[in-house]
Amino acid sequence: MSANLRRPLIAGNWKMNLDLRQSVELARALKDGLGQAGAEVAVCVPFTSIAVVGEVLKGSPIRLGAQDLHWEKEGAYTGEVSAGQLLDAGCRYVIIGHSERRRYFHESDEVVRKKLKAALAAGLWPIVCVGETLEERERQQTFNVLKRQVEALAGLAPAELSSLVIAYEPVWAIGTGKTATPEQAQEAHLFIRNAVAGHYGKDFAQALRLLYGGSVKAENIDSLMAQPDLDGALVGGESLKPVSFLRIIHFQAPARSGAR
Ligand code: PEP
């Protein structure tokens, strides 16, 4: 599949925000304001909002997602939610290995891999996050970190992985207002695509959607999306603001066509 067949994906990560009323209001505003979007759109909402947002989004192309899952199918794992339960609740996407989970909940590459396998086995579409911290960037470790994080995704059956999306989210750019420059993002994306090609071959890597995440907003989305290896965005803070998120969805960049 050639690069222009990678349909852009704009995914919102609501994180631990919004009560039920606010979730419904935001979902309604997105559904009503979406219009004709070239990009695929998803919202990854708190577990508690999945049902109500799913109800609002009925009949809309906006896809529903979650922000985490547990790798076991069922059992005595108090507080956890399985891939099957997310699918049953109406989720299509699930974020895996967000840097906040890696940092605050000590998720290792091994845990990310287990979650990825569980999501794929259940038929959920995974958005796996990778990215370096500021300290790692300053120590010139960015590519080593990305290589290690991509390696953790290796050795699975390529056919099973067809729904995989990877989000490059430099940790120093998340929620900080500091965005990677389009050139920095492109450099990292190309590195990730090549690293994936090393494990799964060039065709697979060329078809893989790579999102950028880290202080994406209406003001920077167009220049980010002009980069050839950026296939969309994972948006945190600005996904809670309907006007901004809709503008991000309707980014202006060289046309891409087709769908995955
Ligand atoms: C995120 O949480 O995935 C994210 C990119 O956050 P923000 O857009 O707020 O930096």
Side-chain angles (χ1 to χ4, degrees):
M1 192 182 296
S2 70
N4 68 359
L5 288 180
R6 297 191 302 259
R7 186 182 181 197
L9 169 64
I10 304 291
N13 174 11
W14 292 5
K15 308 196 188 193
M16 195 173 71
N17 293 300
L18 309 187
D19 60 21
L20 294 184
R21 186 186 53 78
Q22 293 166 324
S23 297
V24 165
E25 269 176 26
L26 177 54
R28 270 211 192 105
L30 296 176
K31 181 180 180 180
D32 294 347
L34 184 65
Q36 289 286 359
E40 183 185 354
V41 182
V43 286
C44 298
V45 309
F47 291 140
T48 47
S49 295
I50 290 173
V52 290
V53 170
E55 200 50 43
V56 173
L57 293 182
K58 273 191 185 146
S60 160
I62 301 174
R63 297 190 196 272
L64 188 57
Q67 302 168 18
D68 188 29
L69 78 164
H70 193 266
W71 60 85
E72 292 292 346
K73 283 192 182 136
E74 62 191 1
Y77 300 97
T78 302
E80 297 294 332
V81 178
S82 72
Q85 288 173 318
L86 292 179
L87 204 65
D88 188 40
C91 288
R92 191 70 267 180
Y93 280 102
V94 62
I95 297 173
I96 298 176
H98 191 281
S99 64
E100 287 153 13
R101 298 225 46 97
R102 293 181 190 255
R103 179 173 174 200
Y104 301 126
F105 304 98
H106 314 292
E107 283 192 7
S108 62
D109 290 333
E110 189 48 39
V111 165
V112 169
R113 182 182 172 83
K114 285 206 246 185
K115 291 186 172 186
L116 171 62
K117 286 172 85 169
L120 293 169
L124 279 175
W125 298 347
I127 302 174
V128 176
C129 300
V130 299
E132 80 286 3
T133 63
L134 181 60
E135 195 212 342
E136 287 162 342
R137 177 162 278 264
E138 283 173 352
R139 284 194 287 112
Q140 326 279 315
Q141 290 302 305
T142 298
F143 295 139
N144 287 341
V145 170
L146 295 178
K147 184 168 176 278
R148 193 201 71 221
Q149 290 174 336
V150 169
E151 248 160 36
L153 315 180
L156 303 171
E160 279 173 24
L161 275 177
S162 62
S163 61
L164 175 69
V165 175
I166 295 181
Y168 169 60
E169 298 208 309
V171 181
W172 49 271
I174 296 179
T176 59
K178 283 185 202 158
T179 321
T181 64
E183 294 73 25
Q184 283 173 322
Q186 168 59 25
E187 186 185 37
H189 280 228
L190 185 58
F191 180 87
I192 292 167
R193 202 178 296 287
N194 287 336
V196 170
H199 295 293
Y200 290 108
K202 215 169 163 206
D203 287 352
F204 180 90
Q206 276 306 317
L208 177 69
R209 290 189 294 181
L210 296 179
L211 312 186
Y212 169 78
S215 298
V216 170
K217 40 187 180 264
E219 293 74 25
N220 58 28
I221 186 68
D222 296 348
S223 54
L224 287 163
M225 287 304 294
Q227 299 298 320
D229 283 286
L230 270 70
D231 307 311
L234 182 54
V235 186
E238 296 296 301
S239 74
L240 299 173
K241 305 175 190 166
V243 174
S244 298
F245 193 54
L246 286 167
R247 171 62 183 83
I248 291 168
I249 290 166
H250 292 278
F251 64 85
Q252 308 289 315
R256 298 162 184 240
S257 59
R260 188 170 166 146

